[in-house]
Amino acid sequence: MLKEAFLFLSGNRLAKTVAMHAPGARSMALRFVAGESLDDAISAARALNKSGMTVSLDYLGESVHSKAEARDAADVYIGLMNRIAKEKLNANVSMKLTQMGQDIDDAFLRENAGRVLDCGKQHDMFVRLDMESSDYTDRTLDFFRNIWAEGYRNVGIVLQSYLFRSETDVSEANALLARVRLCKGAYKEPPEVAFPEKSDVDVNYVKLMQMLLTNGNYPGIATHDEAMIDAAKAFVKEHDIPNSAFEFQMLYGVRRDLQQQLVREGYNLRVYVPFGGAWYAYLMRRLAERPANVFFVANAIVRESPVGRLFGRKTQRK
Ligand code: FDA
């Protein structure tokens, strides 16, 4: 119920305007977002690299309908990649095609997203195409196939285990030896296209993960679910798959304990680090995944309010 409410709010303009101006909202977003500037993103990546984790940086933004805005987003990505290369960070980037102009027109999307892919090629840097709602699955995979046919190899996709179609998409990606990030899926989907029950999503996740670990190319096992992680660990052990053949992936600010534990155990762990001012929809999806996050958020708001600050000062004096 709460999950549905947050997913609804993620696409609601009025709620977005209210939230972006609400006191404390920004600090609440900072639980899941590295900051608003490129420097914030680079500092977060540097710190994560120091603790043995690799990074995928995401410049927040989606559903862009103006060419100027989409071009600006591509420019930020190019600046970001140049900076990653200059600072020799162990990082790549993740981008959403609706931020690059997918809702504008195909030729523009090809040209604009192509600039990011070319910059990646120049630096030998990988670019992940995030997957958005099922309205975009076909168009995103078509874009990817075309780019792949043109010879780009520094690009990979995301497939979601809540979609019925994903088993076919995993097989096709494996046939190309394309790199796949497997996640459960974060959008509100109708029962015609996606498993409504979490237990079915989880069963499918394990099935697709095993397909990717057996026949795929360096899959990204993106989840914070310990049952999924344990299933992956058991499968690779049983099939003698080396740790170098795959990576776990988790979101910035989510289950940091588990992230550190996986690194200690010798697994590759990549953290997805979003940054930028357009954090609203991203935050709503994170709240939908775990409504208990609302308490962290409420706590942040209370701490920033005048009463909270007074209480904070009093507590410090103790
Ligand atoms: P699940 O939702 O079952 O959660 C398992 C446990 O993890 C929870 O009980 C809780 O302990 C913890 N947890 C999960 N989410 C949390 C949160 N927000 N805050 C605090 N704790 C949380 N989706 C998509 O549609 N397209 C995409 O491109 C991507 N990309 C992506 C990249 C990476 C690196 C990750 C990790 C995830 C994505 N996702 C995504 C999001 C994904 O689809 C999914 O919504 C979330 O990862 C939550 O699902 P889990 O697999 O973690 O399991």
Side-chain angles (χ1 to χ4, degrees), residues 148-189:
W148 190 269
E150 284 181 41
Y152 287 86
R153 291 294 176 270
N154 63 318
V155 58
I157 50 174
V158 179
L159 296 174
Q160 300 148 320
S161 72
Y162 64 12
L163 293 185
F164 300 137
R165 58 174 291 164
S166 290
E167 185 173 346
T168 309
D169 293 330
V170 165
S171 297
E172 283 181 16
N174 281 352
L176 291 177
L177 279 186
R179 273 172 66 176
V180 174
R181 171 199 296 152
L182 180 66
C183 64
K184 291 189 188 179
Y187 296 82
K188 184 167 166 39
E189 297 293 356

Side-chain angles (χ1 to χ4, degrees), residues 275-314:
F275 73 100
W279 43 260
Y280 173 76
Y282 182 84
L283 176 66
M284 289 300 124
R285 288 196 293 274
R286 300 298 75 83
L287 294 180
E289 281 155 7
R290 190 166 179 262
N293 282 333
V294 172
F295 295 110
F296 287 103
V297 164
N299 196 17
I301 293 176
V302 170
R303 264 188 279 118
E304 273 201 15
S305 71
V307 176
R309 282 202 293 272
L310 185 67
F311 180 76
R313 275 203 293 276
K314 276 187 178 158

Side-chain angles (χ1 to χ4, degrees), residues 223 229 233 248-250 256-269:
T223 182
I229 292 169
K233 286 178 179 175
F248 286 112
Q249 298 186 353
M250 293 196 200
R256 273 174 273 214
D257 55 334
L258 195 50
Q259 297 179 9
Q260 287 158 3
Q261 184 191 318
L262 288 171
V263 171
R264 278 196 304 274
E265 289 172 356
Y267 294 102
N268 292 330
L269 190 271

Side-chain angles (χ1 to χ4, degrees), residues 85-236:
K86 188 172 164 215
E87 304 216 7
K88 297 190 170 45
L89 294 172
N90 195 340
N92 62 33
V93 299
S94 292
M95 71 176 178
K96 291 185 174 47
L97 290 184
T98 65
Q99 186 186 22
M100 292 293 123
Q102 196 169 33
D103 286 327
I104 300 172
D105 73 62
D106 287 348
F108 174 75
L109 172 68
R110 170 66 191 82
E111 176 221 309
N112 201 42
R115 291 196 294 129
V116 178
L117 293 169
D118 286 337
C119 180
K121 225 178 185 182
Q122 193 189 319
H123 293 301
D124 195 19
M125 196 180 294
F126 182 75
V127 178
R128 178 78 64 183
L129 306 179
D130 282 344
M131 188 58 85
E132 302 178 64
S133 74
S134 60
D135 294 338
Y136 295 99
T137 312
D138 271 326
R139 277 185 279 166
T140 300
L141 295 180
D142 284 348
F143 176 87
F144 168 74
R145 277 187 214 102
N146 291 338
I147 285 286
W148 190 269
E150 284 181 41
Y152 287 86
R153 291 294 176 270
N154 63 318
V155 58
I157 50 174
V158 179
L159 296 174
Q160 300 148 320
S161 72
Y162 64 12
L163 293 185
F164 300 137
R165 58 174 291 164
S166 290
E167 185 173 346
T168 309
D169 293 330
V170 165
S171 297
E172 283 181 16
N174 281 352
L176 291 177
L177 279 186
R179 273 172 66 176
V180 174
R181 171 199 296 152
L182 180 66
C183 64
K184 291 189 188 179
Y187 296 82
K188 184 167 166 39
E189 297 293 356
E192 294 77 40
V193 301
F195 295 103
E197 297 298 326
K198 176 177 158 49
S199 54
D200 293 326
V201 177
D202 290 355
V203 168
N204 200 38
Y205 192 97
V206 173
K207 181 180 188 180
L208 303 183
M209 173 181 74
Q210 293 180 350
M211 289 167 69
L212 288 165
L213 286 168
T214 311
N215 293 315
N217 177 13
Y218 195 67
I221 312 296
T223 182
H224 317 91
D225 186 339
E226 292 188 58
M228 303 297 108
I229 292 169
D230 288 346
K233 286 178 179 175
F235 188 80
V236 296

Side-chain angles (χ1 to χ4, degrees), residues 16-36:
K16 176 178 171 182
T17 311
V18 172
M20 301 280 289
H21 293 94
R26 190 176 165 276
S27 61
M28 133 197 2
L30 285 175
R31 182 178 146 77
F32 300 106
V33 171
E36 296 200 350

